[in-house]
Amino acid sequence: MNMKYLKRSLLLTAALVVVVATAACSSGTNNEKNKAANNKVEDKPAVKLTADQPGWKEDISPITFDWYLNFSWFANKWGVDPTSKYITKKTGVDINFIVPAGNEKEKLNTLIASGNLPDFITLDKGEDAIQKMIDGEMVLPLNKLADEYDPYFFTSSDAAKLSWYTKPDGNVYAYPNASSSPKDYAKYGDTYISNQTFLVRKDMYEAIGSPEMRTPEGFLKALQLAKDKFGTVNGQPLIPLGLHEFTDTGNFSLEAFIQNLLAIPKAKDGKVYDRSTDPEYVRWLKTLRLANQEGLLAKDVFIDKRPQMEEKLAQGRYFALIYQGKDMEAQLSSLYAKDPNAVYIAVDGPANSNLDTPTLDGPGISGWTVTLISKNVKDKARAIRFMSYLNSEEGNKDLFLGEKGFSYDTIDGVDQYKPEQLALLNSDRSAFDKQNGSSFTFWMLMNTNITDQWAPKAVEPFKSLQDWTRGKTVSASEFELINPTGNSPEGIINTKLAQQFGKTLPKLLMSGSDAEFDTIWNEYQEKRKKDGLDQVTSFQQAKYEENVKKLAEFMK
């Protein structure tokens, strides 16, 4: 996400057993609040319900679900804020979040190896682990749970999204958040914005004359001017350019993100295009190589993880950023409150030689994350019913607006945040999460197409970021989930290729000359081919063509 926002639930009762969090399953943070998670609950006899009847209302007795979020940066706890307390009181469901303290991939692999997954699992839609869990029969088909315990699930969920995530065995194991189908685009497309932005610190940018940064020459000159004029920020060295963190498979800012800024096509003549070989992309990688050679890429950029980046963002230490605007919302609020001129704004950044308009990722049908239910879930009926509730308009409203009378009210005939809550949301996101807990604090199954009807109008410093993306956002659902994953031959090759790029990218940026860059680049391309790139490409093409047909069906 790339991008996005959050939500909620519940209580206690007889013979609760305190579950000691295993090393495989929990971080130190979760050990503090390991909410007396229930022992395995016997499956309850199915209750005859209808598609029009929300199943969760059948049983609101206290139950605690363990919910694994594969995002080490997630810091909120259920039951601390009024919104999640309200949902727990309403539904009976309490949540014990389990969040990795360090490397997400290691934690997730350990969980899978243990064979003892928590009740709910939420992770990025593209994770290899999804197929591993399905192949290992570690997660339950949501459609079968719904058939047996809660037909309302099919009412509260989007049929196109269920179809999109249906596997060859006819079952659906995962449901997305922040997902938009082709019909959603037809209905809401002109309102969609992207999370992808090129940012500069407003006061610094204006102080150096608001230079153009779309060409390599202008880009490098602006970084140098900022470094020369603002060597330090509150006694700390200025970081001329910030990026997303480097991982073992690369850096999002320097892959799909910058390729979108450069408007590099994802397909040509009906064939999936290898964007990483595009001359415009190579040209900008060499520009960043030169930036590093000239001291404009700080060492911090190569080693910092998200917590360190957030700290430096809050200090305003970056001049420019290829970064997702929503991901720095809390830091933007803090900076703006201190000095509206020392905030980050979106401007036109890296572009191709024709200076074409960027083609930024809008919401796709695959969503941002997906949520699955473990075969070890302590209560199948309560689990699928709670997921149905979260998917529904009622659940989305509860998570987005919170409890009526506390966080929102009907004002001038419209349900909206109370003025004091809106002021807090716009000024201190972190405080809002803890003191209120609505507006996507808990985002696992958020549906922005539903919640936009209650969304307040954007204000600065967020409005200009959103406005910059309007007209640049495109649908690219046909290219989603086309990469092979898991233990298939193509999946193994693709993982190897990704890790190979993760090792190569820093070398390219740190190379001492364009000639050295070319040597590393050519060796990398040769190795890709030798390691099975053609197999992966064939797989991607087949999936792409399948997606095109599937999307056409959705539009009928």
Side-chain angles (χ1 to χ4, degrees), residues 60-123:
I60 58 169
S61 61
I63 186 171
T64 299
F65 285 119
D66 291 323
W67 196 313
Y68 177 76
L69 294 174
N70 196 44
F71 300 92
S72 60
W73 49 263
F74 185 81
N76 294 304
K77 295 181 180 180
W78 192 271
V80 171
D81 60 274
T83 295
S84 59
K85 287 179 180 178
Y86 164 64
I87 292 171
T88 292
K89 181 180 178 181
K90 179 176 181 174
T91 64
V93 179
D94 205 349
I95 296 174
N96 172 45
F97 284 123
I98 298 170
V99 180
N103 184 287
E104 289 98 339
K105 195 171 287 291
E106 290 179 6
K107 289 289 184 181
L108 189 55
N109 286 338
T110 301
L111 267 179
I112 292 172
S114 76
N116 188 27
L117 294 174
D119 303 301
F120 289 88
I121 307 101
T122 295
L123 62 172

Side-chain angles (χ1 to χ4, degrees), residues 2 8 17 48 126 132 136 141 161-162 179 194 221 225 232 236 264 364 367 433 436 439 442 487 556:
N2 66 62
R8 59 270 265 171
V17 178
K48 272 296 178 187
K132 288 181 185 176
K161 295 163 193 175
L162 291 174
S179 166
S194 178
K221 183 178 179 181
L225 285 171
T232 60
Q236 299 286 339
I264 297 174
D433 286 352
N436 188 304
S439 189
F442 305 104
N487 292 320
K556 288 182 179 178

